[in-house]
Amino acid sequence: VYINGFSSSLPLEVQINALRAIEGLEKAAVFQPGYAIEYDYFPPQQLTYSMETRLVKGLFLAGQINGTTGYEEAAALGLMAGINAHQMVNNGDPLILNRSQAYIGVLIDDLINKGTDEPYRMFTSRAEYRIILRQDNADLRLTEKSFQLGLAGHERMEALENKKKYMGKALEYIRTTSISPGEINELLEEHHEAPIKQKVKLETIVKRPKINLHQIYKALPNMKKFWKKETGDHMEALEEAGIMVKYQDYIVKEKEMAEKMQKLDNAPIPESLQYMEIQALSFEAREKLQALKPQTLGQASRISGVSPADISVLMIHLRKS
């Protein structure tokens, strides 16, 4: 039995006494006690985005020692630390993923800027760009970077290029093809969507909430014929195009937000900057910034206790200096 909120890292005698203090468990017997694994912890605020420690050059830390728990988080940090250790040894640029490129970017950014008071898990709710960070477009976001590093082979890169090409064909077809009531109304009524009374662009049908592109594809012989001829029935590219059309407005808005934040992330802060001397900053911001030494304005803006007003002060100070 897993007792949520009950510590299994206490000595056996203490565990038994604590269990028996719970109403209804006064005579509980423990046949196999719970256990906990203890490990050392290194406050992750002392790391750079490459997972290298600030104090010891060439020392990279990843996994539970950074305050994470769970195999996936540890593996993600280990992958990034390993890549960047290799890059450093070979005089290459570090691989830095930002919050709009990958969940790994969210994980590292959170750890470095906020630290953690308890084992960190990478919940999707921690990411502000969830519409961009979809599982269906992971290859579009990351395969090219992987190929440049020598991690992905030519076969995977070729598959990505084909997918991009076929997606382009699908998007052009969806946005330029008109469809008549006789072709689509049966499908619309079947899914309790209002029928159309005249020809409309296929794009408007794809955006209907209860209809997806795969259903439309099955219902339209002409589309099926076109797609098989052009791509050999590459359904992954078709599905990706359908998602991009359906959520286009949301995707555009989120990308604009990400680009604004990226401008701040591209604004470097000198490591030698003495925050305690900038009197216009709040005292809390000075303390936090001096302790964490953010590398960019974007990183500074995500530190707990640093307000938008503090960031404005920093921007003015950096322009003057």
Side-chain angles (χ1 to χ4, degrees), residues 5-141:
F6 185 87
S7 176
S8 61
S9 60
L10 298 168
L12 177 57
E13 186 180 346
V14 177
Q15 283 192 54
I16 293 171
N17 289 335
L19 281 170
R20 288 176 179 169
I22 299 171
E23 188 177 348
L25 298 178
E26 293 86 355
K27 296 181 180 180
V30 177
F31 292 95
Q32 178 67 49
Y35 67 95
I37 297 170
E38 295 182 6
Y39 52 88
D40 290 327
Y41 167 68
F42 185 102
Q45 296 99 316
Q46 299 180 54
L47 299 172
T48 67
Y49 276 103
S50 69
M51 309 307 295
E52 184 181 17
T53 60
R54 294 176 188 268
L55 296 175
V56 183
K57 186 168 177 59
L59 175 61
F60 293 79
L61 297 180
Q64 289 185 326
I65 201 168
N66 292 347
T68 61
T69 184
Y71 303 118
E72 298 86 358
E73 288 82 358
L77 294 178
L79 175 66
M80 295 302 289
I83 289 170
N84 284 316
H86 174 273
Q87 290 296 96
M88 189 195 76
V89 168
N90 290 280
N91 299 315
D93 294 329
L95 173 65
I96 308 295
L97 298 175
N98 63 44
R99 297 181 73 91
S100 63
Q101 288 178 309
Y103 277 102
I104 289 177
V106 178
L107 166 66
I108 293 173
D109 191 67
D110 277 356
L111 287 171
I112 289 173
N113 290 322
K114 300 173 184 175
T116 182
D117 295 325
E118 59 183 28
Y120 181 102
R121 295 308 305 267
M122 185 60 256
F123 301 119
T124 54
S125 59
R126 297 187 190 273
E128 60 270 54
Y129 306 120
R130 292 190 293 279
I131 300 174
I132 296 175
L133 302 180
R134 308 186 309 273
Q135 75 273 17
D136 58 273
N137 70 354
D139 52 351
L140 297 171
R141 288 184 280 115

Side-chain angles (χ1 to χ4, degrees), residues 129 131-132 247-260:
Y129 306 120
I131 300 174
I132 296 175
Y247 300 104
Q248 179 181 359
D249 295 340
Y250 298 100
I251 292 170
V252 168
K253 186 177 179 181
E254 206 162 87
K255 281 184 176 177
E256 286 173 354
M257 287 170 56
E259 284 167 8
K260 285 179 184 176

Side-chain angles (χ1 to χ4, degrees), residues 204-273:
T204 64
I205 303 297
V206 176
K207 288 186 175 182
R208 297 271 187 112
K210 297 174 185 175
I211 303 293
N212 62 50
L213 190 56
H214 186 66
Q215 293 164 337
I216 296 170
Y217 168 81
K218 286 166 65 176
L220 299 180
N222 287 341
M223 183 179 181
K224 193 179 291 186
K225 185 178 178 181
F226 163 83
W227 193 244
K228 285 185 175 179
K229 179 185 175 184
E230 293 292 326
T231 74
D233 227 12
H234 195 293
M235 299 310 294
E236 189 181 342
L238 188 68
E239 181 183 2
E240 186 74 37
I243 290 169
M244 289 179 70
V245 170
K246 188 178 285 292
Y247 300 104
Q248 179 181 359
D249 295 340
Y250 298 100
I251 292 170
V252 168
K253 186 177 179 181
E254 206 162 87
K255 281 184 176 177
E256 286 173 354
M257 287 170 56
E259 284 167 8
K260 285 179 184 176
M261 182 53 69
Q262 191 60 44
K263 287 179 182 176
L264 288 178
D265 279 324
N266 289 336
I269 299 176
E271 196 171 345
S272 58
L273 185 63

